Amino acid sequence: MLDFIVCVGGIYVCFLTWSALQERVTTALYGEDHQRFRFTIVLNMLQAMAAALVGYVYIHFIQRKPMLKMNRHRWKRFFQVAVLNSSASPFGYMALRYINYPTMTLAKTCKMVPVMFMNKILYRRQYPGYKYAVVAMITTGVSAFMLFKSSEKSKSGSLEAVENSMYGLLLVLINLAIDGAVNSTQDQIFAEDAEITGQHMMCLMNLCSTVLMAVWLLNPFNPELVSAMRFLHTHPQAMVDIGMFAVCGAMGQCFVFYTLARFGSLTLTTVTVTRKFLTILISVFYNGHKLNSHQWSATGLVFTGITLDVYKKQTARRAMFAAAVVDTKDEKLAESEHEVLEEELLAEVDPLAASDVPELVALQTRSEDSDNRATLLGNVRRRRLVDVAAA
């Protein structure tokens, strides 16, 4: 019970603090001159640096495993995903200049909508009926949230609706699109190389991201690093906020991995969904954002859709797991598969992903071939190990 309290408390404390600091760093006015920290590449590099360091410590001192042996091909693949990952975050930070934090948090719950749309159009992939219901609930909720936004005047005399501009939402959509490309590339890397785990991805992808952004910032024609250092020197409070922001994000990912291994995916998905809702509540009450009753109803509709998707997916996977165990003829193989499949249930990070369901269906229909079963189980395992994104 104590472990559970520590894990859940760690996720809440780390990521709720991370969310509050993210909003503060990107929107607060520092010092008597009321300047904002606008150096998003520097902020992203510091976060990646902290995540790489904490990932390394997690692998060596908590898991007690050796670091992945690197070769030219692996470095190439990690740098590929690092380029995409480094490109996504600045759009999210820039979006906060035009929309408020609750709007961005809610908009990011729509990530499954473009993913399903592109898979349907490009790959003719079929989805169960409840998926369309979930998409409809989320889309309707976010649309209603924007439609019923408050039109009261702010202190500056402009309408508060300016915060929720279409340009800000466009930046969020770009951020989500690049994040989708990051996830797809990670899936491909895991499928190609069975030795790579989610912790390796956390450490090495962020290490490569740090190198790429450092090279960009050290460009003599780029004044951002010098300007950021000058800003932090004259505004020391910003340095404290950024340091805590980077450390909380990295530590939160470690609590996520430990919670997955110790208590399972259902617990984690419940915690992450409630954490996002609490993020909106904290932002509303702590930073004074105003939501009317229609917006609260729209927010509830979005999280109802997410909860429905999580519940349906967990039910389907547990049924597939039970069928796979009953169908096997080899007791030792059944025991091994039980452990591996249980690991996959524990390793679910993104409750909206559905790419591994065909693999589990195939697993049920090929019970007579041990090699095929082992291969399919390996494929499922690699596809479940996705990089944890806290935001």
Side-chain angles (χ1 to χ4, degrees):
M1 185 62 181
L2 180 61
D3 282 353
F4 177 78
I5 294 174
V6 170
C7 287
V8 176
I11 292 175
Y12 279 156
V13 170
C14 288
F15 282 124
L16 291 176
T17 305
W18 179 87
S19 299
L21 288 170
Q22 183 185 39
E23 182 174 9
R24 175 174 172 78
V25 169
T26 53
T27 63
L29 300 176
Y30 289 99
E32 296 180 357
D33 51 351
H34 301 290
Q35 294 294 315
R36 287 184 179 177
F37 186 84
R38 302 179 181 275
F39 312 104
T40 56
I41 302 299
V42 173
L43 183 61
N44 202 23
M45 185 188 71
L46 293 175
Q47 184 180 17
M49 190 184 302
L53 178 61
V54 172
Y56 179 83
V57 171
Y58 185 89
I59 292 171
H60 274 270
F61 296 100
I62 298 179
Q63 289 191 320
R64 299 184 183 277
K65 293 182 179 180
M67 181 53 71
L68 186 69
K69 292 182 179 180
M70 299 300 293
N71 53 42
R72 183 176 180 180
H73 177 72
R74 282 177 172 172
W75 279 120
K76 178 181 177 181
R77 297 298 280 154
F78 278 114
F79 270 106
Q80 285 177 345
V81 73
V83 169
L84 293 171
N85 185 61
S86 302
S87 303
S89 297
F91 288 99
Y93 295 135
M94 287 188 291
L96 286 174
R97 300 177 189 176
Y98 305 97
I99 61 176
N100 58 36
Y101 201 81
T103 303
M104 189 180 76
T105 302
L106 197 65
K108 283 195 170 186
T109 63
C110 292
K111 187 174 182 178
M112 68 178 298
V113 177
V115 171
M116 283 184 62
F117 179 77
M118 294 305 294
N119 276 319
K120 184 74 173 178
I121 298 299
L122 297 178
Y123 305 112
R124 307 296 181 186
R125 183 169 294 176
Q126 300 297 318
Y127 292 95
Y130 79 87
K131 280 284 185 181
Y132 297 99
V134 168
V135 168
M137 293 172 72
I138 293 176
T139 304
T140 302
V142 173
S143 300
F145 186 91
M146 299 303 300
L147 180 64
F148 295 113
K149 60 192 176 186
S150 175
S151 59
E152 297 179 6
K153 291 187 175 182
S154 62
K155 293 181 181 180
S156 63
S158 61
L159 291 178
E160 188 178 6
V162 173
E163 284 189 312
N164 302 320
S165 68
M166 294 304 297
Y167 183 65
L169 289 178
L170 176 62
L171 292 174
V172 175
L173 290 176
I174 294 174
N175 173 265
L176 292 178
I178 300 176
D179 275 344
V182 170
N183 291 338
S184 298
T185 306
Q186 288 172 340
D187 287 343
Q188 188 175 5
I189 292 173
F190 289 133
E192 291 175 352
D193 196 331
E195 295 183 16
I196 298 176
T197 67
Q199 291 84 349
H200 291 140
M201 180 64 71
M202 172 185 172
C203 177
L204 293 169
M205 180 191 70
N206 283 291
L207 175 63
C208 294
S209 295
T210 302
V211 172
L212 289 172
M213 286 181 283
V215 170
W216 171 257
L217 291 170
L218 292 174
N219 177 1
F221 299 100
N222 185 0
E224 181 172 343
L225 181 60
V226 175
S227 299
M229 293 176 65
R230 187 180 298 115
F231 182 95
L232 294 175
H233 177 72
T234 56
H235 304 87
Q237 182 58 46
M239 186 182 301
V240 175
D241 291 343
I242 291 172
M244 291 180 62
F245 165 74
V247 171
C248 285
M251 291 297 297
Q253 293 187 39
C254 291
F255 278 111
V256 165
F257 280 120
Y258 186 79
T259 303
L260 285 170
R262 186 74 176 82
F263 299 105
S265 62
L266 185 58
T267 298
L268 178 65
T269 50
T270 302
V271 172
T272 53
V273 168
T274 54
R275 193 268 299 176
K276 288 181 179 180
F277 191 75
L278 286 174
T279 297
I280 294 177
L281 291 180
I282 290 175
S283 182
V284 167
F285 293 109
Y286 182 76
N287 294 298
H289 298 300
K290 296 180 180 179
L291 300 183
N292 55 44
S293 58
H294 298 294
Q295 287 180 301
W296 281 117
S297 298
T299 302
L301 181 62
V302 170
F303 283 95
T304 299
I306 295 174
T307 303
L308 173 63
D309 186 69
V310 171
Y311 172 76
K312 287 287 189 179
K313 197 166 187 181
Q314 289 290 334
T315 302
R317 284 203 177 132
R318 292 188 183 279
M320 291 178 183
F321 161 73
V325 172
V326 170
D327 192 50
T328 187
K329 297 178 181 179
D330 190 330
E331 292 185 359
K332 290 185 178 180
L333 182 59
E335 182 179 355
S336 175
E337 289 172 354
H338 182 284
E339 294 174 356
V340 176
L341 281 173
E342 189 66 30
E343 180 184 351
E344 303 324 313
L345 290 172
L346 297 179
E348 181 173 5
V349 173
D350 182 1
L352 303 179
S355 58
D356 57 346
V357 172
E359 299 285 359
L360 290 175
V361 173
L363 179 65
Q364 289 180 257
T365 61
R366 299 184 184 180
S367 59
E368 70 282 356
D369 190 333
S370 298
D371 292 336
N372 282 341
R373 295 176 69 84
T375 300
L376 290 169
L377 285 166
N379 289 340
V380 173
R381 179 178 183 275
R382 290 190 291 273
R383 297 172 80 172
R384 301 307 303 143
L385 291 172
V386 297
D387 185 46
V388 182

